[in-house]
Amino acid sequence: MAPVSPRQPAVPAWLSEAVLYQVYPQSFADSNGDGIGDLPGVTAHLDHLADLGVSALWLSPCFSSEFGDAGYDVADYLAIAPRYGTNADLAELVGAAAARGIRVLLDLVPGHTSHRHPWFQRAAHDPGDDRYIWSERITAPVHEWIPNQGRRGGFYRANFYPIQPALNFGYARPDPAEPWRSPVDAPGPLANRAALREIMAHWFGLGVAGFRVDMAASLVKDDPGQVETGKLWGELRAWLDREHPDKVLIAEWGDPARSVPAGLHADFFLHFNGRALRSLWDNGSGSQGSWAHGEPCYFDPDGAGSPAEFLTAWQAADAAIAGRGLVALPTANHDFSRLACGPRTGEQLACAFAFLLSWPSLPVVYYGDEIGMRYVPGLPDKEGSQFGTEARQGSRTPMQWDDTPGAGFSTAEQADFYLPLDPAPDRPSVAAQRADPASTLNQVRRLIRLRRETPELGTGGTVTVLADGYPLAYLRGTTHLVVVNPRREPAELALPQLTAAALPLLVQGVRTTPGAVRADGFGYGIFRL
């Protein structure tokens, strides 16, 4: 286990109560007609987020970049990429969001920069600069070492693509065969730690509420158990608690039992680390990588899955966290297939949202999932989206605002759109679903409102699983019962807790009698006992 950050306080109350919404900025809304979404476009659609009920939005990387990896190759951490606008546009977005009760988080990429970042341009020519990881020869793994084109010569270590040189946060262990390994307290690693504080403080000064931290587990190399990486985040958490106590860090680590005790405020269950998330949503279609396990997921119409793996992982994480932070549970993200993918169609999504918004995790809604936007297969690579077998572009298509030919995303010609729209003639849109009381959008709105108005359904209440098959039934606290049936066939369950006094709060296709419940296919129900 990573070390526990000493005297770590609870997370800010706003995060405990949050519903987080991920915006992929290049695909959300285009304000200037160039076919690429931008920050003024996000600002123009804040009323949609406020109406939905979300209280925080996370912007995928929007810093200056050459976009070889969709912005995860940062060339300047202190400047907004011109295609998205300016720093002033971000400040305007933050202010307009705050007026609607919405906080804004940015995406911090701490582990590497672009090869065009000034730090790397200097280091490529200066043998005395150890802000990056350098070797005079190629070592294992060979594919991570890239020939340097600068006067320094040698090779630099890259994290993913060759254009992403790894920042040097040191190695946890020395190796006589690799004398170039820096300890974690060498000048370069210490300079990089200081830079992280400077970058965060800069954006905090513009009103940003925190960061989602890309690949937070990967900073210190050869770090068994991420012990030294955990210490690094513990130090940063102590600085935050001292200087910026209302700000937060949400890790892309994928192991909340390790990351939250180390000091991160929250961490995601992720598709590439363990099977907790995949056992819920991954139906074997859409983007599939080496992590795919090929087994049925629980939210699938055939009813062949089980929530057991998720529940086991949840219980372990919850026990390790011990109230110090949160587990973030996303509907999808820019690297993982949308909820509406393969055999999972729009009619099945409200049941998934009923689970997401009544479980004691931090719910994260990926843009467009609230209307059932589909994963679109067969799209071309765009800015590194095709990562081996992972066709991530299918989850990154333009937001569908209305039923016009351009879906309200942009006034540009569709050939100039960042990615093609979903070509289906029945593609969902915000405008159409807003007018339909039974739509996925309006059901999600009602579920978010119920969560906000019912503390027992939030992160602070207890959860007791009563049945872990079809349907899944659980108590929140002692007063609220949740039943979800994500398969096509109806399901019945004996529940002694049910009496004639059970009050339905939000129900679709679930009926109760004293001592029993019957759930239609894709039905859900939330009751006060």
Side-chain angles (χ1 to χ4, degrees):
M1 293 286 292
V4 175
S5 183
R7 296 180 297 280
Q8 180 177 307
V11 302
W14 70 261
L15 183 65
S16 294
E17 300 164 1
V19 175
L20 182 61
Y21 187 96
Q22 182 186 354
V23 169
Y24 200 63
Q26 53 267 63
S27 296
F28 196 65
D30 169 25
S31 71
N32 61 6
D34 65 358
I36 299 175
D38 47 46
L39 297 185
V42 178
T43 303
H45 287 85
L46 284 173
D47 285 343
H48 167 67
L49 302 186
D51 182 65
L52 185 61
V54 302
S55 55
L57 70 89
W58 146 37
L59 293 166
S60 289
C62 53
F63 302 138
S64 179
S65 172
E66 66 174 319
F67 294 100
D69 187 19
Y72 284 93
D73 46 330
V74 177
D76 185 348
Y77 287 103
L78 304 183
I80 295 297
R83 78 179 193 184
Y84 296 139
T86 65
N87 286 22
D89 289 325
L90 179 71
E92 182 177 352
L93 167 60
V94 169
R100 294 164 172 82
I102 300 171
R103 287 174 165 82
V104 176
L105 291 83
L106 301 182
D107 206 317
L108 179 65
V109 186
H112 53 262
T113 68
S114 166
H115 63 161
R116 295 185 178 179
H117 195 290
W119 297 344
F120 184 77
Q121 291 297 310
R122 288 194 297 270
H125 299 286
D126 180 1
D129 190 319
D130 62 347
R131 295 288 294 273
Y132 296 84
I133 302 174
W134 299 92
S135 172
E136 295 301 315
R137 55 183 173 81
I138 293 179
T139 59
V142 172
H143 69 278
E144 293 181 351
W145 292 95
I146 312 302
N148 178 31
Q149 303 303 309
R151 291 190 300 273
R152 175 184 193 144
F155 302 84
Y156 65 88
R157 184 167 178 171
N159 272 349
F160 296 101
Y161 294 116
I163 60 170
Q164 293 167 309
L167 283 164
N168 184 13
F169 288 93
Y171 280 73
R173 302 186 294 191
D175 183 343
E178 299 179 355
W180 39 264
R181 291 189 176 202
S182 300
V184 296
D185 58 354
L190 292 180
N192 287 332
R193 292 189 189 210
L196 290 182
R197 295 191 294 272
E198 293 165 5
I199 293 164
M200 291 183 202
H202 172 82
W203 295 109
F204 292 156
L206 290 179
V208 167
F211 296 88
R212 175 265 193 185
V213 183
D214 181 65
M215 297 303 294
S218 68
L219 300 193
V220 177
K221 305 301 185 186
D222 192 15
D223 185 15
Q226 286 83 41
V227 171
E228 292 297 331
T229 300
K231 290 178 182 177
L232 183 156
W233 289 115
E235 291 174 8
L236 284 169
R237 173 64 182 273
W239 169 74
L240 277 180
D241 290 341
R242 184 174 64 252
E243 303 290 338
H244 306 280
D246 200 39
K247 309 303 184 183
V248 302
L249 298 174
I250 302 177
E252 186 201 29
W253 188 311
D255 188 359
R258 193 181 300 273
S259 58
V260 174
L264 283 303
H265 294 82
D267 185 15
F268 293 89
F269 278 153
L270 293 167
H271 62 286
F272 61 78
N273 192 354
R275 288 171 47 170
L277 183 69
R278 299 200 309 270
S279 70
L280 294 176
W281 312 138
D282 183 19
N283 57 22
S285 57
S287 182
Q288 296 287 296
S290 59
W291 39 261
H293 56 76
E295 297 183 10
C297 64
Y298 182 63
F299 284 83
D300 193 69
D302 291 335
S306 167
E309 284 189 281
F310 169 81
L311 294 174
T312 298
W314 165 265
Q315 291 162 358
D318 188 52
I321 289 171
R324 292 186 293 265
L326 303 171
V327 176
L329 186 62
T331 58
N333 61 42
H334 57 287
D335 289 335
F336 185 56
S337 302
R338 291 187 176 277
L339 280 181
C341 183
R344 190 183 303 116
T345 57
E347 65 177 336
Q348 304 172 44
L349 302 188
C351 181
F353 274 103
F355 168 75
L356 179 83
L357 292 164
S358 63
W359 193 260
S361 50
L362 172 63
V364 185
V365 180
Y366 186 52
Y367 84 98
D369 278 356
E370 73 274 22
I371 61 171
M373 277 180 57
R374 288 179 282 247
Y375 174 90
V376 180
L379 296 181
D381 178 41
K382 182 70 174 183
E383 297 181 350
S385 59
Q386 185 73 41
F387 188 69
T389 61
E390 299 180 48
R392 302 177 294 176
Q393 56 270 36
S395 293
R396 302 179 180 185
T397 56
M399 182 69 175
Q400 296 154 199
W401 294 106
D402 60 33
D403 298 316
T404 61
F409 165 70
S410 174
T411 59
E413 295 294 327
Q414 289 193 42
D416 295 326
F417 281 18
Y418 177 76
L419 277 167
L421 286 164
D422 179 353
D426 64 343
R427 67 185 179 220
S429 72
V430 172
Q433 292 207 4
R434 186 175 288 144
D436 177 5
S439 68
T440 300
L441 174 62
N442 279 312
Q443 292 187 73
V444 174
R445 288 178 61 244
R446 291 190 288 268
L447 286 161
I448 291 176
R449 183 169 62 246
L450 181 62
R451 181 184 177 96
R452 186 171 61 239
E453 295 172 350
T454 312
E456 292 85 351
L457 298 179
T459 60
T462 61
V463 60
T464 304
V465 176
L466 304 176
D468 61 359
Y470 293 93
L472 172 66
Y474 47 95
L475 288 176
R476 296 304 319 275
T478 59
T479 57
H480 288 75
L481 170 70
V482 181
V483 179
V484 295
N485 179 31
R487 73 180 185 186
R488 185 182 297 107
E489 296 300 318
E492 297 183 357
L493 182 66
L495 284 177
Q497 294 85 352
L498 275 175
T499 69
L503 177 66
L505 300 178
L506 205 52
V507 174
Q508 176 177 284
V510 174
R511 294 171 297 284
T512 64
T513 57
V517 63
R518 176 182 170 83
D520 293 342
F522 315 131
Y524 65 87
I526 302 174
F527 303 86
R528 182 184 298 127
L529 300 179

